Amino acid sequence: MDGWFFDSVLLGCVVSLHQKVPFHFGKGSLVKMVALKMQLLLTFPLLTVMCSLCSALYFHIGETEKKCFIEEIPDETMVIGNYRTQLYDKQREEYLPATPGLGMFVEVKDPDDKVILSRQYGSEGRFTFTSHTPGEHQICLHSNSSKFALFAGGMLRVHLDIQVGEHATDYAEIAAKDKLTELQLRVRQLIEQVEQIQKEQNYQRYREERFRQTSESTNQRVLWWSIIQTLILVAIGFWQMRHLKSFFEAKKLV
Amino acid sequence: MQGFGVAILTQVIWAQLLLLGWARASELTFELPDNAKQCFYEDIIVGTKCTLEFQVVTGGHYDVDCRLDDPDGNVLYKEMKKQYDSFTFTASKNGSYKFCFSNEFSTFTHKTVYFDFQVGEDPPLFPNENRVSALTQMESACVSIHEALKSVIDYQTRFRLREAQGRSRAEDLNTRVAFWSIGEAIILLVVSIGQVVLLRSFFSDKKTTTTRVGS
């Protein structure tokens, strides 16, 4: 997302609000106004960083709970995940904006259950990985409950945003880096989209082959099993009769 | 002082979001265990057009309960045991909207649910673009291709989910056939040997009873 644009808009908002502020303060409150302005200005970089999650989807997670999300992706696809955590403050009965010392443990497993990313991040972080095998990747998050007292029966609010493939590219950055005109940037976006569609279709071919193999294997197994079962039944029948016959002959009943 | 600063900050955030016409698309696939309910929340500005689309990928009869509430707790959408649905609404008030998926009616099947929650329109490629100016023919061609490709990607996603359904059923069937054939072989052997042993036991210990000889 375009950080400079955000900053300029935010500055515009705060400056316009700041104009109204002197009406609320009385004389001799210049120090207070400056302090307020400093406080608001200091939040600019923070907001720009957090802005990508300002209105992201969020959910609640318990202390030892592990939340897993599945991403079925083709190979060589980049996945970027942003998350932000907030802890519920019982005294103020609201969620604190940021809690230091609260970390989240992120673990990413590839389709063969091999761990490709296993790291601990702070209360706010960003993780990236690129898939090398196509299939279902599992992204799991759980909090490191070292600060037991912090939770005390509360829930943790986690803002999460996972962008896959083409959605993960930052076009403004590409435009600035390669100095592209508007038309060139649009065409670049189309190229990326088409590449993603191609990758997905390749992946679909691979999945269809796996599906076909599974069906063939089931077919084979059912076929072999019915033959073997018939043979087992017949053989057991013979064995039973033979064994009982010899048994009864031994007992002089027959 | 502190409270006032926080209040201004909150207003600034809402103002900024309003100015930018914030757009988000969150799509996630998660596992819903049996008897579980999972809720997601999203802060939405009034007047934003939002779409919630969900599909059950694996598990049981591929159905799940879904419910969407507005910030005041009014139910905007509620469906029981739905396999796939798409719901569009326009936010009538600012606040935190909540949508929940529930698998409470199921006793032992885990479900995998995919959902896509789109808030607002897509962000424009150029944030400082003047939308009033007319696009050249090339640019409008690019825009229409982009929209068409977006719907292609959408269809691909839906197709992938349906195919995942079929594939998971097939793999399930495969493992079940394997287990069942081995299990039945074992049961057959056990039962047949057991029959013989039991029959032998009827005749072996009874020395006092007269053996009836069929003639």
Side-chain angles (χ1 to χ4, degrees), chain A residues 10-171:
Chain A
L10 216 50
L11 189 60
C13 283
V14 173
V15 163
S16 59
L17 278 171
H18 185 65
Q19 306 292 336
K20 298 192 178 95
V21 165
F23 292 116
H24 295 273
F25 288 105
K27 246 200 292 192
S29 59
L30 192 64
V31 175
K32 280 188 192 166
M33 273 162 53
V34 169
L36 176 62
K37 191 174 169 187
M38 284 307 293
Q39 185 188 25
L40 288 169
L41 279 172
L42 279 169
T43 60
F44 283 159
L46 200 64
L47 268 173
T48 312
V49 164
M50 279 170 23
C51 259
S52 60
L53 290 169
C54 267
S55 69
L57 198 71
Y58 62 88
F59 54 93
H60 296 131
I61 186 173
E63 185 177 342
T64 49
E65 216 181 316
K66 190 171 185 176
K67 269 275 176 288
C68 290
F69 297 95
I70 299 166
E71 286 295 332
E72 196 172 348
I73 42 179
D75 58 349
E76 308 308 324
T77 307
M78 185 162 79
V79 176
I80 294 178
N82 292 298
Y83 77 88
R84 181 164 72 100
T85 50
Q86 286 179 320
L87 191 60
Y88 189 66
D89 187 350
K90 276 207 165 150
Q91 288 140 356
R92 281 193 266 175
E93 284 194 358
E94 61 174 19
Y95 282 87
L96 301 169
T99 316
L102 192 68
M104 287 292 273
F105 195 78
V106 176
E107 192 182 46
V108 178
K109 283 198 196 150
D110 77 347
D112 306 318
D113 262 343
K114 204 174 57 152
V115 176
I116 54 179
L117 178 75
S118 176
R119 261 188 67 176
Q120 184 153 316
Y121 294 85
S123 74
E124 185 177 323
R126 180 187 165 107
F127 55 90
T128 313
F129 68 92
T130 307
S131 60
H132 297 295
T133 31
E136 276 187 10
H137 290 70
Q138 207 180 39
I139 301 166
C140 289
L141 299 162
H142 66 270
S143 69
N144 58 337
S145 54
S146 53
K147 303 259 178 79
F148 219 84
L150 270 181
F151 277 84
M155 296 290 268
L156 195 66
R157 180 183 278 186
V158 181
H159 296 250
L160 184 66
D161 178 39
I162 298 179
Q163 299 292 333
V164 174
E166 190 255 337
H167 296 287
T169 45
D170 185 2
Y171 288 105

Side-chain angles (χ1 to χ4, degrees), chain B residues 68-84:
Chain B
L68 175 67
D69 296 335
D70 74 355
D72 298 327
N74 304 322
V75 178
L76 293 176
Y77 170 83
K78 183 173 171 172
E79 284 287 341
M80 314 294 281
K81 299 201 179 174
K82 214 53 172 139
Q83 205 255 309
Y84 160 82

Side-chain angles (χ1 to χ4, degrees), chain A residues 1-2 5-6 9-10 13-14 17 21 24-25 32 35-36 39-40 43 47 51-52 54-60 65 67-72 160-163 166 171 181-183 185-187 189-190 193-194 196-197 200-201 203-204 207-208 210-211 214-215 217-218 221-222 225 229 232-233 236 239-240 243-244 247-248 251 253, chain B residues 1-2 4-5 8-9 12-13 15-17 19-20 22 24-31 38-43 96 99 112 115 117 123 125-127 129 135 138-139 142-143 145-146 149-150 152-153 156 159-160 163-164 166-167 170-171 173-175 177-178 180-181 184-185 188-189 192-193 195-196 199-200 203-204 211-213:
Chain A
M1 283 303 220
D2 197 354
F5 182 60
F6 285 179
V9 167
L10 216 50
C13 283
V14 173
L17 278 171
V21 165
H24 295 273
F25 288 105
K32 280 188 192 166
L36 176 62
Q39 185 188 25
L40 288 169
T43 60
L47 268 173
C51 259
S52 60
C54 267
S55 69
L57 198 71
Y58 62 88
F59 54 93
H60 296 131
E65 216 181 316
K67 269 275 176 288
C68 290
F69 297 95
I70 299 166
E71 286 295 332
E72 196 172 348
L160 184 66
D161 178 39
I162 298 179
Q163 299 292 333
E166 190 255 337
Y171 288 105
T181 66
E182 190 173 314
L183 192 62
L185 192 66
R186 281 195 194 278
V187 171
Q189 189 189 34
L190 292 178
Q193 270 188 311
V194 168
Q196 190 185 353
I197 290 174
E200 184 83 28
Q201 289 198 317
Y203 176 46
Q204 194 196 315
R207 283 191 324 258
E208 191 268 338
R210 252 186 64 186
F211 190 359
T214 310
S215 302
S217 153
T218 307
R221 280 182 192 180
V222 169
W225 165 242
Q229 185 183 20
I232 287 179
L233 269 176
I236 280 184
W239 172 79
Q240 274 186 328
H243 186 85
L244 285 173
F247 174 70
F248 287 141
K251 290 282 177 188
L253 290 169
Chain B
M1 176 63 201
Q2 181 77 12
F4 190 59
I8 285 194
L9 202 61
V12 164
I13 291 175
Q16 181 215 5
L17 294 178
L19 265 171
L20 292 176
W22 199 279
R24 289 229 71 83
S26 325
E27 57 170 33
L28 287 174
T29 312
F30 64 97
E31 196 176 293
Q38 176 69 34
C39 293
F40 294 91
Y41 308 80
E42 175 110 32
D43 294 326
S96 169
F99 56 100
T112 311
F115 73 87
F117 194 61
L125 203 54
F126 305 96
E129 174 184 330
L135 299 168
M138 285 289 279
E139 280 166 6
C142 281
V143 166
I145 293 176
H146 176 66
L149 287 180
K150 258 206 305 194
V152 168
I153 291 176
Q156 266 193 330
F159 181 70
R160 170 170 55 86
E163 189 266 343
R167 190 162 32 95
E171 280 168 4
L173 186 66
N174 198 19
T175 37
V177 165
W180 174 69
S181 46
E184 190 163 331
L188 261 180
L189 289 171
S192 58
I193 293 175
Q195 272 181 333
V196 170
L199 212 56
R200 280 169 69 126
F203 293 98
S204 49
T211 52
R212 282 174 286 129
V213 179

Side-chain angles (χ1 to χ4, degrees), chain B residues 50-77:
Chain B
C50 311
T51 311
L52 171 67
E53 195 179 310
F54 68 92
Q55 186 168 354
V56 183
V57 184
T58 61
H61 290 287
Y62 306 113
D63 49 6
V64 75
D65 297 340
C66 178
R67 185 194 157 112
L68 175 67
D69 296 335
D70 74 355
D72 298 327
N74 304 322
V75 178
L76 293 176
Y77 170 83

